Amino acid sequence: MDGKLLILCDELPKEYEHHSVKDVYFLRRPLIDPYDDPERLFVTWDAVIPKDRTFINGCEHYARTYEEMPSNFRLSQKGTVDPKKGTLKGSIQEDSFLCALDRNVERVREAYENGEDYQAEAIDLAVQYPMQATSQFLSDFSTMLSTNGIVRILPAHREDADPELVRYRTELLNAWTNQNGLMRENKAEAKVIDPMVYKDFGEVYSRSIDEMMKIYSLPIFGSAEEEAKQDHNSLEPTKYLKNKSMN
């Protein structure tokens, strides 16, 4: 089967000796360079779901209050990027939350200009915002997967990662699996496989080779056997938490 493996890991985005870890700029590039289009796509978690929630919390604040945001707020995303690409940070989730915020603000403005009950509209949208923004993120994630030809996703967490952060990542991947299954447009063909906890990145590198061999062996539209294996256990954070308690 043709397709790529997305490995989400806790490494910094940069060029290493035998591999490179990508950032959000790579994921949202408008054109795919055939000379930089790996089958195993190592991506820092921060390019998708940033550890630093400051920007996302700010979006939620402005969505509730409709306060005028500082002029530099849009440039204050926290997702880690490769220093070679500049100083502006970013992530898919932060982009999605900002997009949902802008859409709600524009809707309230339109209601005001049309003589509608804009205050009621503002309150309603403020309540809906967290769900709207998350849904936007899950949809944007599907689009990114399809654009990059991803067919499998390997979540990899460092053994010293915050358990609450790991749980949050897992919950979002669960939510993505559910929403993507119901999508008619922009539906991604990717599936989340069993996550792993690692101490040394070599463990991730080795696992990624094994998973690519599995992808090669799949028929063109995937196999029923593989779909049967994609159950709730593959996304449960309990394996991670048990490993933490045993160390």
Side-chain angles (χ1 to χ4, degrees):
M1 179 181 184
D2 292 331
K4 301 174 190 172
L5 172 67
L6 172 66
I7 306 101
L8 296 171
C9 59
D10 281 313
E11 306 305 300
L12 293 175
K14 67 176 185 178
E15 296 288 332
Y16 294 85
E17 184 177 359
H18 300 295
H19 68 281
S20 65
V21 176
K22 307 298 187 182
D23 60 13
V24 71
Y25 288 113
F26 184 90
L27 295 179
R28 63 189 184 197
R29 65 202 190 283
L31 297 174
I32 296 179
D33 182 354
Y35 294 101
D36 189 13
D37 190 27
E39 291 181 316
R40 290 177 293 155
L41 186 54
F42 298 98
V43 174
T44 181
W45 271 106
D46 256 17
V48 179
I49 305 169
K51 292 187 292 291
D52 189 331
R53 314 300 295 168
T54 304
F55 184 85
I56 288 182
N57 292 339
C59 287
E60 292 177 338
H61 169 77
Y62 294 122
R64 288 193 308 270
T65 64
Y66 294 94
E67 294 178 5
E68 183 175 356
M69 64 179 66
S71 58
N72 63 346
F73 176 73
R74 294 176 180 276
L75 304 178
S76 63
Q77 293 191 25
K78 303 299 181 181
T80 307
V81 297
D82 189 334
K84 292 182 178 179
K85 297 180 180 178
T87 58
L88 290 180
K89 299 184 176 183
S91 68
I92 295 175
Q93 191 181 35
E94 288 169 314
D95 287 343
S96 301
F97 270 63
L98 182 59
C99 177
L101 172 60
D102 286 340
R103 188 167 57 243
N104 283 5
V105 170
E106 182 60 27
R107 174 64 192 116
V108 172
R109 182 181 293 110
E110 289 178 355
Y112 173 77
E113 293 174 349
N114 295 334
E116 302 172 15
D117 187 350
Y118 71 93
Q119 292 180 322
E121 185 75 4
I123 293 173
D124 185 46
L125 290 176
V127 172
Q128 295 182 42
Y129 175 77
M131 184 178 297
Q132 290 174 331
T134 298
S135 180
Q136 179 72 53
F137 163 66
L138 300 178
S139 177
D140 291 343
F141 187 57
S142 287
T143 299
M144 181 277 292
L145 294 171
S146 296
T147 300
N148 286 280
I150 305 296
V151 297
R152 293 293 183 268
I153 304 167
L154 169 59
H157 312 278
R158 274 199 172 276
E159 65 176 13
D160 58 354
D162 182 355
E164 288 302 316
L165 177 61
V166 173
R167 184 177 289 108
Y168 179 66
R169 292 168 173 173
T170 303
E171 289 173 352
L172 280 182
L173 288 180
N174 270 314
W176 171 79
T177 298
N178 293 332
Q179 177 167 308
N180 185 67
L182 300 174
M183 290 175 63
R184 295 185 178 181
E185 297 181 1
N186 299 326
K187 180 178 179 178
E189 298 303 321
K191 299 182 184 298
V192 182
I193 58 180
D194 286 341
M196 67 176 295
V197 179
Y198 69 97
K199 180 177 182 180
D200 181 82
F201 188 77
E203 301 168 52
V204 180
Y205 195 86
S206 177
R207 169 79 183 276
S208 71
I209 295 174
D210 293 339
E211 295 300 336
M212 276 308 306
M213 296 304 296
K214 294 178 183 178
I215 291 175
Y216 294 149
S217 68
L218 292 175
I220 189 65
F221 295 113
S223 67
E225 181 180 356
E226 281 295 314
E227 292 178 2
K229 291 179 181 178
Q230 182 62 31
D231 55 20
H232 293 294
N233 290 334
S234 67
L235 297 179
E236 285 292 340
T238 51
K239 293 181 181 179
Y240 172 85
L241 298 176
K242 288 179 180 178
N243 287 340
K244 292 285 287 187
S245 63
M246 293 172 63
N247 290 336

